[in-house]
Amino acid sequence: MYTVNIQEMIPIEEVIVLKHIVSQEWLFERGTEEGVVIVDCRFVLGDQDPEAGRKAYLADHIPGAFYFDLEQDLSSPKGSTAAGTRFRT
């Protein structure tokens, strides 16, 4: 089973991945439709505070959006030579 590392694990078979980031207009019109998942993955490269993105998300985000941490949820472990190992088969 494939899973995405968020607060509640979701089978990847239930996740629809778009090829493109959507426009503000598309999100405004369809953001509350069933099956639409909004992911906030803010990250400040080189920032002294590795939690800066999460803090910004907690301070203000689109209602219903999930937060994915670039390093914790979307990257391979530090020192790993394999890319994308967070989503293993």
PDB file of all heavy atoms in Angstrom, residues 4 6 10 14-18 22 26-27 30-40 62-68:
ATOM      1  N   VAL A   4       0.846   8.644   2.051  1.00  0.00           N
ATOM      2  CA  VAL A   4       1.406   9.987   2.094  1.00  0.00           C
ATOM      3  C   VAL A   4       1.585  10.320   3.563  1.00  0.00           C
ATOM      4  O   VAL A   4       0.696  10.097   4.369  1.00  0.00           O
ATOM      5  CB  VAL A   4       0.447  10.998   1.426  1.00  0.00           C
ATOM      6  CG1 VAL A   4       0.986  12.401   1.556  1.00  0.00           C
ATOM      7  CG2 VAL A   4       0.222  10.631  -0.037  1.00  0.00           C
ATOM      8  N   ILE A   6       1.137  12.399   6.231  1.00  0.00           N
ATOM      9  CA  ILE A   6       0.455  13.554   6.815  1.00  0.00           C
ATOM     10  C   ILE A   6      -0.163  13.091   8.115  1.00  0.00           C
ATOM     11  O   ILE A   6       0.018  11.956   8.515  1.00  0.00           O
ATOM     12  CB  ILE A   6      -0.615  14.133   5.849  1.00  0.00           C
ATOM     13  CG1 ILE A   6      -1.640  13.064   5.458  1.00  0.00           C
ATOM     14  CG2 ILE A   6       0.028  14.749   4.638  1.00  0.00           C
ATOM     15  CD1 ILE A   6      -2.771  13.573   4.614  1.00  0.00           C
ATOM     16  N   ILE A  10      -3.180   8.499   4.137  1.00  0.00           N
ATOM     17  CA  ILE A  10      -4.155   8.374   3.056  1.00  0.00           C
ATOM     18  C   ILE A  10      -3.585   7.431   2.012  1.00  0.00           C
ATOM     19  O   ILE A  10      -2.467   7.632   1.550  1.00  0.00           O
ATOM     20  CB  ILE A  10      -4.428   9.745   2.396  1.00  0.00           C
ATOM     21  CG1 ILE A  10      -4.997  10.733   3.416  1.00  0.00           C
ATOM     22  CG2 ILE A  10      -5.364   9.598   1.209  1.00  0.00           C
ATOM     23  CD1 ILE A  10      -5.123  12.140   2.883  1.00  0.00           C
ATOM     24  N   GLU A  14      -6.089   6.861  -3.526  1.00  0.00           N
ATOM     25  CA  GLU A  14      -7.166   7.834  -3.370  1.00  0.00           C
ATOM     26  C   GLU A  14      -6.713   9.258  -3.654  1.00  0.00           C
ATOM     27  O   GLU A  14      -7.497  10.183  -3.586  1.00  0.00           O
ATOM     28  CB  GLU A  14      -7.730   7.744  -1.945  1.00  0.00           C
ATOM     29  CG  GLU A  14      -8.370   6.413  -1.638  1.00  0.00           C
ATOM     30  CD  GLU A  14      -8.865   6.317  -0.212  1.00  0.00           C
ATOM     31  OE1 GLU A  14      -8.989   7.361   0.456  1.00  0.00           O
ATOM     32  OE2 GLU A  14      -9.121   5.189   0.231  1.00  0.00           O
ATOM     33  N   VAL A  15      -5.444   9.440  -3.966  1.00  0.00           N
ATOM     34  CA  VAL A  15      -4.900  10.770  -4.217  1.00  0.00           C
ATOM     35  C   VAL A  15      -4.795  10.984  -5.723  1.00  0.00           C
ATOM     36  O   VAL A  15      -4.213  10.187  -6.435  1.00  0.00           O
ATOM     37  CB  VAL A  15      -3.506  10.928  -3.561  1.00  0.00           C
ATOM     38  CG1 VAL A  15      -2.903  12.280  -3.904  1.00  0.00           C
ATOM     39  CG2 VAL A  15      -3.618  10.742  -2.053  1.00  0.00           C
ATOM     40  N   ILE A  16      -5.382  12.078  -6.190  1.00  0.00           N
ATOM     41  CA  ILE A  16      -5.271  12.448  -7.600  1.00  0.00           C
ATOM     42  C   ILE A  16      -4.180  13.507  -7.693  1.00  0.00           C
ATOM     43  O   ILE A  16      -4.254  14.543  -7.041  1.00  0.00           O
ATOM     44  CB  ILE A  16      -6.601  13.009  -8.146  1.00  0.00           C
ATOM     45  CG1 ILE A  16      -7.691  11.950  -8.059  1.00  0.00           C
ATOM     46  CG2 ILE A  16      -6.425  13.504  -9.576  1.00  0.00           C
ATOM     47  CD1 ILE A  16      -9.066  12.471  -8.358  1.00  0.00           C
ATOM     48  N   VAL A  17      -3.163  13.251  -8.490  1.00  0.00           N
ATOM     49  CA  VAL A  17      -2.054  14.187  -8.615  1.00  0.00           C
ATOM     50  C   VAL A  17      -2.228  14.985  -9.906  1.00  0.00           C
ATOM     51  O   VAL A  17      -2.339  14.412 -10.985  1.00  0.00           O
ATOM     52  CB  VAL A  17      -0.705  13.431  -8.632  1.00  0.00           C
ATOM     53  CG1 VAL A  17       0.444  14.410  -8.802  1.00  0.00           C
ATOM     54  CG2 VAL A  17      -0.551  12.624  -7.351  1.00  0.00           C
ATOM     55  N   LEU A  18      -2.257  16.296  -9.780  1.00  0.00           N
ATOM     56  CA  LEU A  18      -2.357  17.163 -10.953  1.00  0.00           C
ATOM     57  C   LEU A  18      -0.969  17.391 -11.518  1.00  0.00           C
ATOM     58  O   LEU A  18       0.012  17.422 -10.788  1.00  0.00           O
ATOM     59  CB  LEU A  18      -2.991  18.503 -10.569  1.00  0.00           C
ATOM     60  CG  LEU A  18      -4.406  18.430 -10.002  1.00  0.00           C
ATOM     61  CD1 LEU A  18      -4.861  19.831  -9.586  1.00  0.00           C
ATOM     62  CD2 LEU A  18      -5.364  17.855 -11.015  1.00  0.00           C
ATOM     63  N   VAL A  22      -2.556  24.805  -9.826  1.00  0.00           N
ATOM     64  CA  VAL A  22      -3.771  25.447 -10.327  1.00  0.00           C
ATOM     65  C   VAL A  22      -3.748  26.944 -10.063  1.00  0.00           C
ATOM     66  O   VAL A  22      -3.015  27.437  -9.208  1.00  0.00           O
ATOM     67  CB  VAL A  22      -5.033  24.814  -9.694  1.00  0.00           C
ATOM     68  CG1 VAL A  22      -5.121  23.344 -10.035  1.00  0.00           C
ATOM     69  CG2 VAL A  22      -5.070  25.016  -8.194  1.00  0.00           C
ATOM     70  N   TRP A  26      -9.167  28.909 -10.301  1.00  0.00           N
ATOM     71  CA  TRP A  26      -9.575  27.501 -10.247  1.00  0.00           C
ATOM     72  C   TRP A  26      -9.801  27.081  -8.803  1.00  0.00           C
ATOM     73  O   TRP A  26     -10.793  26.446  -8.470  1.00  0.00           O
ATOM     74  CB  TRP A  26      -8.516  26.618 -10.894  1.00  0.00           C
ATOM     75  CG  TRP A  26      -8.938  25.193 -11.061  1.00  0.00           C
ATOM     76  CD1 TRP A  26      -9.447  24.629 -12.192  1.00  0.00           C
ATOM     77  CD2 TRP A  26      -8.888  24.149 -10.069  1.00  0.00           C
ATOM     78  NE1 TRP A  26      -9.726  23.292 -11.955  1.00  0.00           N
ATOM     79  CE2 TRP A  26      -9.394  22.983 -10.665  1.00  0.00           C
ATOM     80  CE3 TRP A  26      -8.474  24.100  -8.749  1.00  0.00           C
ATOM     81  CZ2 TRP A  26      -9.492  21.780  -9.981  1.00  0.00           C
ATOM     82  CZ3 TRP A  26      -8.580  22.907  -8.055  1.00  0.00           C
ATOM     83  CH2 TRP A  26      -9.084  21.752  -8.683  1.00  0.00           C
ATOM     84  N   LEU A  27      -8.873  27.448  -7.929  1.00  0.00           N
ATOM     85  CA  LEU A  27      -8.977  27.087  -6.518  1.00  0.00           C
ATOM     86  C   LEU A  27     -10.206  27.724  -5.881  1.00  0.00           C
ATOM     87  O   LEU A  27     -10.936  27.076  -5.131  1.00  0.00           O
ATOM     88  CB  LEU A  27      -7.714  27.501  -5.770  1.00  0.00           C
ATOM     89  CG  LEU A  27      -7.644  27.100  -4.308  1.00  0.00           C
ATOM     90  CD1 LEU A  27      -7.719  25.591  -4.154  1.00  0.00           C
ATOM     91  CD2 LEU A  27      -6.359  27.622  -3.690  1.00  0.00           C
ATOM     92  N   ARG A  30     -13.285  25.757  -7.318  1.00  0.00           N
ATOM     93  CA  ARG A  30     -13.397  24.312  -7.083  1.00  0.00           C
ATOM     94  C   ARG A  30     -12.762  23.823  -5.785  1.00  0.00           C
ATOM     95  O   ARG A  30     -12.779  22.632  -5.514  1.00  0.00           O
ATOM     96  CB  ARG A  30     -12.745  23.575  -8.257  1.00  0.00           C
ATOM     97  CG  ARG A  30     -13.435  23.853  -9.566  1.00  0.00           C
ATOM     98  CD  ARG A  30     -12.727  23.119 -10.694  1.00  0.00           C
ATOM     99  NE  ARG A  30     -13.312  23.450 -11.962  1.00  0.00           N
ATOM    100  CZ  ARG A  30     -12.913  24.441 -12.748  1.00  0.00           C
ATOM    101  NH1 ARG A  30     -11.901  25.195 -12.398  1.00  0.00           N
ATOM    102  NH2 ARG A  30     -13.506  24.668 -13.896  1.00  0.00           N
ATOM    103  N   GLY A  31     -12.206  24.697  -4.997  1.00  0.00           N
ATOM    104  CA  GLY A  31     -11.458  24.299  -3.809  1.00  0.00           C
ATOM    105  C   GLY A  31     -12.238  23.517  -2.773  1.00  0.00           C
ATOM    106  O   GLY A  31     -11.648  22.790  -1.982  1.00  0.00           O
ATOM    107  N   THR A  32     -13.553  23.647  -2.772  1.00  0.00           N
ATOM    108  CA  THR A  32     -14.359  22.921  -1.787  1.00  0.00           C
ATOM    109  C   THR A  32     -15.021  21.674  -2.363  1.00  0.00           C
ATOM    110  O   THR A  32     -15.762  20.995  -1.660  1.00  0.00           O
ATOM    111  CB  THR A  32     -15.449  23.841  -1.193  1.00  0.00           C
ATOM    112  OG1 THR A  32     -16.271  24.334  -2.251  1.00  0.00           O
ATOM    113  CG2 THR A  32     -14.822  25.009  -0.434  1.00  0.00           C
ATOM    114  N   GLU A  33     -14.751  21.369  -3.627  1.00  0.00           N
ATOM    115  CA  GLU A  33     -15.339  20.176  -4.240  1.00  0.00           C
ATOM    116  C   GLU A  33     -14.770  18.907  -3.614  1.00  0.00           C
ATOM    117  O   GLU A  33     -13.613  18.871  -3.181  1.00  0.00           O
ATOM    118  CB  GLU A  33     -15.061  20.148  -5.751  1.00  0.00           C
ATOM    119  CG  GLU A  33     -15.823  21.195  -6.521  1.00  0.00           C
ATOM    120  CD  GLU A  33     -15.535  21.153  -8.010  1.00  0.00           C
ATOM    121  OE1 GLU A  33     -14.821  20.228  -8.474  1.00  0.00           O
ATOM    122  OE2 GLU A  33     -16.024  22.054  -8.715  1.00  0.00           O
ATOM    123  N   GLU A  34     -15.590  17.862  -3.589  1.00  0.00           N
ATOM    124  CA  GLU A  34     -15.132  16.575  -3.072  1.00  0.00           C
ATOM    125  C   GLU A  34     -13.941  16.090  -3.893  1.00  0.00           C
ATOM    126  O   GLU A  34     -13.935  16.184  -5.112  1.00  0.00           O
ATOM    127  CB  GLU A  34     -16.260  15.546  -3.151  1.00  0.00           C
ATOM    128  CG  GLU A  34     -15.901  14.219  -2.530  1.00  0.00           C
ATOM    129  CD  GLU A  34     -17.063  13.247  -2.529  1.00  0.00           C
ATOM    130  OE1 GLU A  34     -18.220  13.666  -2.636  1.00  0.00           O
ATOM    131  OE2 GLU A  34     -16.783  12.043  -2.418  1.00  0.00           O
ATOM    132  N   GLY A  35     -12.929  15.612  -3.214  1.00  0.00           N
ATOM    133  CA  GLY A  35     -11.747  15.080  -3.889  1.00  0.00           C
ATOM    134  C   GLY A  35     -10.640  16.090  -4.098  1.00  0.00           C
ATOM    135  O   GLY A  35      -9.532  15.721  -4.472  1.00  0.00           O
ATOM    136  N   VAL A  36     -10.916  17.376  -3.857  1.00  0.00           N
ATOM    137  CA  VAL A  36      -9.872  18.388  -3.993  1.00  0.00           C
ATOM    138  C   VAL A  36      -9.113  18.475  -2.671  1.00  0.00           C
ATOM    139  O   VAL A  36      -9.711  18.656  -1.613  1.00  0.00           O
ATOM    140  CB  VAL A  36     -10.458  19.772  -4.363  1.00  0.00           C
ATOM    141  CG1 VAL A  36      -9.372  20.843  -4.353  1.00  0.00           C
ATOM    142  CG2 VAL A  36     -11.139  19.705  -5.727  1.00  0.00           C
ATOM    143  N   VAL A  37      -7.800  18.315  -2.733  1.00  0.00           N
ATOM    144  CA  VAL A  37      -6.950  18.388  -1.549  1.00  0.00           C
ATOM    145  C   VAL A  37      -5.977  19.539  -1.752  1.00  0.00           C
ATOM    146  O   VAL A  37      -5.287  19.606  -2.766  1.00  0.00           O
ATOM    147  CB  VAL A  37      -6.169  17.071  -1.327  1.00  0.00           C
ATOM    148  CG1 VAL A  37      -5.244  17.196  -0.121  1.00  0.00           C
ATOM    149  CG2 VAL A  37      -7.124  15.901  -1.169  1.00  0.00           C
ATOM    150  N   ILE A  38      -5.935  20.430  -0.779  1.00  0.00           N
ATOM    151  CA  ILE A  38      -5.042  21.590  -0.853  1.00  0.00           C
ATOM    152  C   ILE A  38      -3.847  21.327   0.057  1.00  0.00           C
ATOM    153  O   ILE A  38      -4.008  21.022   1.236  1.00  0.00           O
ATOM    154  CB  ILE A  38      -5.776  22.874  -0.430  1.00  0.00           C
ATOM    155  CG1 ILE A  38      -6.993  23.079  -1.332  1.00  0.00           C
ATOM    156  CG2 ILE A  38      -4.832  24.073  -0.479  1.00  0.00           C
ATOM    157  CD1 ILE A  38      -7.942  24.150  -0.845  1.00  0.00           C
ATOM    158  N   VAL A  39      -2.657  21.441  -0.523  1.00  0.00           N
ATOM    159  CA  VAL A  39      -1.429  21.193   0.225  1.00  0.00           C
ATOM    160  C   VAL A  39      -0.593  22.460   0.253  1.00  0.00           C
ATOM    161  O   VAL A  39      -0.320  23.061  -0.774  1.00  0.00           O
ATOM    162  CB  VAL A  39      -0.619  20.037  -0.413  1.00  0.00           C
ATOM    163  CG1 VAL A  39       0.696  19.841   0.322  1.00  0.00           C
ATOM    164  CG2 VAL A  39      -1.438  18.758  -0.422  1.00  0.00           C
ATOM    165  N   ASP A  40      -0.211  22.855   1.432  1.00  0.00           N
ATOM    166  CA  ASP A  40       0.646  24.024   1.648  1.00  0.00           C
ATOM    167  C   ASP A  40       2.032  23.486   1.979  1.00  0.00           C
ATOM    168  O   ASP A  40       2.199  22.757   2.947  1.00  0.00           O
ATOM    169  CB  ASP A  40       0.072  24.833   2.815  1.00  0.00           C
ATOM    170  CG  ASP A  40       0.804  26.130   3.081  1.00  0.00           C
ATOM    171  OD1 ASP A  40       2.038  26.181   2.888  1.00  0.00           O
ATOM    172  OD2 ASP A  40       0.146  27.082   3.523  1.00  0.00           O
ATOM    173  N   ILE A  62      -4.976  28.584   3.814  1.00  0.00           N
ATOM    174  CA  ILE A  62      -6.277  28.328   3.208  1.00  0.00           C
ATOM    175  C   ILE A  62      -7.011  27.313   4.078  1.00  0.00           C
ATOM    176  O   ILE A  62      -6.447  26.266   4.422  1.00  0.00           O
ATOM    177  CB  ILE A  62      -6.108  27.785   1.770  1.00  0.00           C
ATOM    178  CG1 ILE A  62      -5.433  28.841   0.896  1.00  0.00           C
ATOM    179  CG2 ILE A  62      -7.448  27.360   1.187  1.00  0.00           C
ATOM    180  CD1 ILE A  62      -5.014  28.337  -0.460  1.00  0.00           C
ATOM    181  N   PRO A  63      -8.255  27.604   4.465  1.00  0.00           N
ATOM    182  CA  PRO A  63      -8.999  26.663   5.306  1.00  0.00           C
ATOM    183  C   PRO A  63      -9.046  25.262   4.682  1.00  0.00           C
ATOM    184  O   PRO A  63      -9.295  25.107   3.490  1.00  0.00           O
ATOM    185  CB  PRO A  63     -10.400  27.277   5.377  1.00  0.00           C
ATOM    186  CG  PRO A  63     -10.168  28.743   5.156  1.00  0.00           C
ATOM    187  CD  PRO A  63      -9.030  28.802   4.164  1.00  0.00           C
ATOM    188  N   GLY A  64      -8.757  24.261   5.495  1.00  0.00           N
ATOM    189  CA  GLY A  64      -8.789  22.870   5.037  1.00  0.00           C
ATOM    190  C   GLY A  64      -7.485  22.381   4.426  1.00  0.00           C
ATOM    191  O   GLY A  64      -7.358  21.205   4.112  1.00  0.00           O
ATOM    192  N   ALA A  65      -6.521  23.272   4.251  1.00  0.00           N
ATOM    193  CA  ALA A  65      -5.247  22.876   3.637  1.00  0.00           C
ATOM    194  C   ALA A  65      -4.417  22.053   4.614  1.00  0.00           C
ATOM    195  O   ALA A  65      -4.431  22.288   5.811  1.00  0.00           O
ATOM    196  CB  ALA A  65      -4.462  24.108   3.202  1.00  0.00           C
ATOM    197  N   PHE A  66      -3.691  21.073   4.075  1.00  0.00           N
ATOM    198  CA  PHE A  66      -2.734  20.283   4.838  1.00  0.00           C
ATOM    199  C   PHE A  66      -1.365  20.930   4.687  1.00  0.00           C
ATOM    200  O   PHE A  66      -1.088  21.570   3.679  1.00  0.00           O
ATOM    201  CB  PHE A  66      -2.629  18.845   4.296  1.00  0.00           C
ATOM    202  CG  PHE A  66      -3.859  18.035   4.527  1.00  0.00           C
ATOM    203  CD1 PHE A  66      -4.814  17.913   3.529  1.00  0.00           C
ATOM    204  CD2 PHE A  66      -4.056  17.369   5.728  1.00  0.00           C
ATOM    205  CE1 PHE A  66      -5.949  17.151   3.734  1.00  0.00           C
ATOM    206  CE2 PHE A  66      -5.182  16.600   5.939  1.00  0.00           C
ATOM    207  CZ  PHE A  66      -6.136  16.493   4.939  1.00  0.00           C
ATOM    208  N   TYR A  67      -0.494  20.725   5.658  1.00  0.00           N
ATOM    209  CA  TYR A  67       0.872  21.221   5.545  1.00  0.00           C
ATOM    210  C   TYR A  67       1.802  20.043   5.290  1.00  0.00           C
ATOM    211  O   TYR A  67       1.775  19.047   6.007  1.00  0.00           O
ATOM    212  CB  TYR A  67       1.320  21.953   6.815  1.00  0.00           C
ATOM    213  CG  TYR A  67       2.738  22.446   6.704  1.00  0.00           C
ATOM    214  CD1 TYR A  67       3.062  23.546   5.930  1.00  0.00           C
ATOM    215  CD2 TYR A  67       3.765  21.776   7.349  1.00  0.00           C
ATOM    216  CE1 TYR A  67       4.364  23.979   5.809  1.00  0.00           C
ATOM    217  CE2 TYR A  67       5.081  22.209   7.221  1.00  0.00           C
ATOM    218  CZ  TYR A  67       5.368  23.309   6.452  1.00  0.00           C
ATOM    219  OH  TYR A  67       6.657  23.732   6.320  1.00  0.00           O
ATOM    220  N   PHE A  68       2.619  20.131   4.248  1.00  0.00           N
ATOM    221  CA  PHE A  68       3.673  19.160   3.969  1.00  0.00           C
ATOM    222  C   PHE A  68       4.997  19.886   4.147  1.00  0.00           C
ATOM    223  O   PHE A  68       5.225  20.921   3.534  1.00  0.00           O
ATOM    224  CB  PHE A  68       3.609  18.649   2.527  1.00  0.00           C
ATOM    225  CG  PHE A  68       2.577  17.589   2.260  1.00  0.00           C
ATOM    226  CD1 PHE A  68       1.557  17.302   3.141  1.00  0.00           C
ATOM    227  CD2 PHE A  68       2.637  16.872   1.082  1.00  0.00           C
ATOM    228  CE1 PHE A  68       0.617  16.329   2.866  1.00  0.00           C
ATOM    229  CE2 PHE A  68       1.704  15.894   0.792  1.00  0.00           C
ATOM    230  CZ  PHE A  68       0.689  15.621   1.691  1.00  0.00           C
TER     231      PHE A  68
END
